[in-house]
Amino acid sequence: MPHYTSPLFILFLQVFFAVQPCHRVVTYAADGGWWELLQNNIGIAAMHMQLLNNDRVVIFDRTDFGLSNISLPDGKCRNDSRDLAVKYDCTAHSIEYDVLANKIRPLMVQTDVWCSSGAVFPDGSLIQTGGSNDGERMVRTFFPCNNSKCDWVEIGDALGAKRWYSTNHILPDGRQIIIGGTTQFNYEFYPKTSAPNVYSLRFLAETNDRGIENNLYPFVFLNYDGNLFIFANNRAILFNYKKDKVLKTYPAIPGGDPRSYPSTGSAVLLPLKNLWAATIEAEVLVCGGAPKGSFYKVWKRNFVKALDTCARIKINDRNPQWTMETMPTARVMGDMTLLPNGNVLIINGAGAGTAGWEYGRNPVLNPVLYWPDGAAGSRFQSLNPSTIPRMYHSAAILLRDGKVLVGGSNPHEGYNFTGVLFPTELRLEAFSPPYLGKEFNYLRPTIVSSTASQGKLIADSVSVTMVAPSFTTHSFAMNHRLLVLGNEKVTYVGTSTYDVQVTTPGYAELAPSSYYMLYVVHQYIPSLGIWVKIS
């Protein structure tokens, strides 16, 4: 394993009774979380989102639907003879959202990024790949900056295969692996080497349902041993990409219903704990999706109820088996997001139908909280609803302050705001999970704070977590992972202030070099996160 130095983070925590600050008007009590409208119109539908280490979010849609609702700056225009809708286009199809300032800035993307994928490189730059039409072999780079100059840089024909509905994952050596896509039963790496450009992956052909596919945007997670857990349709493999070898074949999820696009469920790698053990327990949770045949039935206007089950599996067990659980509501096209305290938020989506143009019905407005460490049968908690349906082509990502940014929803081939069941949605909102309620301020740690007050900290209830921000699109948060660092020593240093000593992960298979959000968690209440660089 490629090891690197493991620095010690000495964190000073302060647990205090804060003077109650002024808040924006919220709709619901904190026990079910609350919603906040951030922007009434960001100009584009948020199909893809990635948080960068300067607290700005890159958001983009597609270029081949026509004009967006936000103009490019400084007289810029796209001049693309290959575009399928508007060949000369002075509107933006990507924006940068400044979380701290609550402002947006239009960006210039030239080729079609529709249903593409991406990941953040160790230097903090977003490397984004593929798309449709003239974008299917493109690589695009966005390097974060704190001025108005940074923008997309595009590299033509940089991929060995057309990548549309594929999945990217950062590897321990800093490269990206790009897996699958429509009609692509293969994978490749970026940046390129002298090795072959494209490698066959039979598993993707085996999970392909003719005429539907059901193996697109496969769920991919890096295991602690450096191998990849790859899930498509209703089953998974453990894959050694270095040797191009399948190491383990997992059983199909009981019932055999598909969970991958377009029968779109979602998945997360549950928090990794006990990081210095000889064997680390790694569990994958897959939730929602659409029953077999749903995609064909919507053509006849028969919108089948979505799946209401989750399946959980310990991927490193000798004889791994799926354990089934039932969600409070059925959900297809939902997003699953890891929260700083190790819980999982399930948000967005529909109660019937599938992914695709006009194929979803019965929007699910209530998020659901999943407690991985809770007792079986009581791990789900229904939270307060949004008023905005988030259907096909919506997304959700975790922000550093512990809120979840939610945007998108456009189940139409173009932007359509009137006379349709679910109008194109340009609003951007934030969901605050219950842990952000002011009634928990007396438990909430503050990292490196100089303010002192009365409070009490329970040392055994303190942990430090490290979260990799995700590239989220089409109900899958790529590269999203959470590591529980625990605490090695908690020392009281005076007036509600404590030193907490933790060691960061010691090898790149566990925590690939990148920027992470680091939190201190006390009795499930997280601090405001800080950015740390693992290199």
Side-chain angles (χ1 to χ4, degrees):
M1 295 181 179
H3 285 65
Y4 52 82
T5 303
S6 301
L8 293 179
F9 285 102
I10 307 300
L11 304 178
F12 299 93
L13 317 185
Q14 186 173 62
V15 181
F16 58 98
F17 293 95
V19 175
Q20 296 301 323
C22 294
H23 286 280
R24 300 185 187 185
V25 175
V26 297
T27 311
Y28 297 102
D31 59 356
W34 66 93
W35 292 85
E36 180 182 10
L37 181 64
L38 301 173
Q39 290 279 340
N40 195 52
N41 183 349
I42 63 171
I44 65 171
M47 187 187 300
H48 313 76
M49 295 201 292
Q50 171 74 60
L51 174 67
L52 301 177
N53 66 289
N54 60 351
D55 290 310
R56 299 186 184 189
V57 180
V58 175
I59 302 174
F60 52 97
D61 188 2
R62 46 187 288 222
T63 65
D64 64 347
F65 62 83
L67 304 179
S68 76
N69 282 34
I70 184 171
S71 298
L72 286 165
D74 306 322
K76 292 181 181 178
C77 295
R78 291 177 60 250
N79 192 354
D80 187 352
S81 62
R82 296 177 293 175
D83 194 278
L84 301 178
V86 178
K87 301 187 186 306
Y88 190 75
D89 182 0
C90 300
T91 64
H93 301 280
S94 176
I95 66 164
E96 179 190 64
Y97 173 65
D98 186 331
V99 176
L100 303 182
N102 192 26
K103 293 181 179 179
I104 61 174
R105 180 172 70 91
L107 302 175
M108 172 75 167
V109 62
Q110 177 69 17
T111 55
D112 195 2
V113 289
W114 180 20
C115 300
S116 53
S117 51
V120 172
F121 262 9
D123 65 0
S125 60
L126 171 59
I127 306 298
Q128 197 278 316
T129 58
S132 182
N133 190 32
D134 61 352
E136 58 196 6
R137 292 179 184 263
M138 298 293 293
V139 170
R140 308 167 192 87
T141 301
F142 185 91
F143 196 88
C145 68
N146 292 320
N147 55 48
S148 60
K149 302 299 181 183
C150 45
D151 212 331
W152 288 105
V153 176
E154 305 196 29
I155 307 170
D157 295 325
L159 300 178
K162 300 176 181 179
R163 298 294 171 190
W164 196 31
Y165 299 94
S166 58
T167 295
N168 294 26
H169 205 297
I170 282 291
L171 299 174
D173 62 8
R175 293 180 300 162
Q176 288 189 35
I177 187 169
I178 309 164
I179 301 174
T182 188
T183 72
Q184 299 295 338
F185 310 133
N186 52 58
Y187 64 95
E188 62 182 289
F189 300 94
Y190 186 83
K192 296 298 178 187
T193 65
S194 58
N197 278 337
V198 177
Y199 301 81
S200 176
L201 184 56
R202 183 179 176 182
F203 171 71
L204 293 177
E206 294 170 345
T207 53
N208 179 55
D209 291 340
R210 181 177 296 182
I212 306 174
E213 296 184 286
N214 275 336
N215 66 346
L216 302 179
Y217 280 126
F219 306 142
V220 180
F221 302 107
L222 177 66
N223 195 15
Y224 82 98
D225 60 6
N227 298 309
L228 297 173
F229 177 90
I230 303 175
F231 179 101
N233 199 314
N234 58 16
R235 53 197 184 277
I237 59 173
L238 187 65
F239 185 64
N240 185 329
Y241 63 89
K242 294 181 180 178
K243 296 183 178 180
D244 192 26
K245 182 179 180 181
V246 175
L247 302 177
K248 185 183 295 186
T249 299
Y250 299 92
I253 289 179
D257 288 313
R259 309 280 178 153
S260 299
Y261 183 93
S263 299
T264 306
S266 189
V268 291
L269 176 67
L270 292 176
L272 297 171
K273 304 176 182 179
N274 302 317
L275 305 183
W276 293 270
T279 301
I280 298 173
E281 189 174 89
E283 290 188 81
V284 169
L285 179 71
V286 180
C287 291
K292 294 176 183 176
S294 296
F295 189 78
Y296 284 134
K297 290 178 180 178
V298 295
W299 297 352
K300 299 180 180 180
R301 318 312 291 169
N302 179 8
F303 299 92
V304 177
K305 179 183 176 181
L307 298 172
D308 64 359
T309 55
C310 293
R312 181 168 168 172
I313 192 168
K314 296 179 179 180
I315 68 175
N316 294 322
D317 276 8
R318 288 188 177 182
N319 182 29
Q321 299 294 321
W322 294 98
T323 299
M324 303 303 293
E325 300 179 80
T326 302
M327 296 187 290
T329 55
R331 195 181 302 252
V332 63
M333 297 181 289
D335 287 285
M336 293 172 67
T337 302
L338 293 167
L339 299 178
N341 62 3
N343 290 340
V344 181
L345 186 71
I346 308 173
I347 198 168
N348 298 339
T354 73
W357 305 132
E358 323 294 342
Y359 285 1
R361 291 294 185 274
N362 305 340
V364 183
L365 300 176
N366 291 80
V368 166
L369 198 61
Y370 179 82
W371 294 73
D373 297 331
S378 59
R379 292 181 176 140
F380 294 97
Q381 177 188 354
S382 186
L383 303 176
N384 287 322
S386 173
T387 59
I388 303 174
R390 299 291 183 178
M391 304 292 279
Y392 187 44
H393 288 154
S394 53
I397 59 170
L398 176 68
L399 300 178
R400 184 169 59 87
D401 61 7
K403 296 179 182 179
V404 175
L405 186 69
V406 180
S409 187
N410 184 30
H412 320 293
E413 293 192 47
Y415 279 9
N416 198 336
F417 301 99
T418 58
V420 290
L421 193 58
F422 303 110
T424 300
E425 189 54 67
L426 305 184
R427 285 176 288 183
L428 193 68
E429 58 185 340
F431 178 69
S432 293
Y435 56 58
L436 290 175
K438 61 185 179 181
E439 66 266 38
F440 299 122
N441 282 352
Y442 76 102
L443 294 173
R444 196 178 318 281
T446 300
I447 300 175
V448 193
S449 172
S450 59
T451 307
S453 179
Q454 296 299 313
K456 183 179 181 181
L457 180 140
I458 302 173
D460 291 343
S461 298
V462 175
S463 64
V464 178
T465 62
M466 201 170 75
V467 185
S470 66
F471 179 95
T472 297
T473 187
H474 290 76
S475 299
F476 183 48
M478 302 177 195
N479 296 285
H480 200 27
R481 66 199 288 115
L482 186 152
L483 296 95
V484 180
L485 307 183
N487 79 71
E488 296 171 17
K489 186 178 181 181
V490 177
T491 306
Y492 178 71
V493 295
T495 321
S496 301
T497 304
Y498 299 77
D499 290 350
V500 177
Q501 180 175 302
V502 295
T503 304
T504 58
Y507 54 97
E509 287 83 355
L510 193 54
S513 176
S514 190
Y515 287 89
Y516 292 79
M517 295 178 284
L518 187 139
Y519 299 86
V520 177
V521 181
H522 179 222
Q523 299 187 58
Y524 287 101
I525 306 301
S527 67
L528 175 69
I530 60 172
W531 288 105
V532 296
K533 174 71 185 300
I534 301 298
S535 57

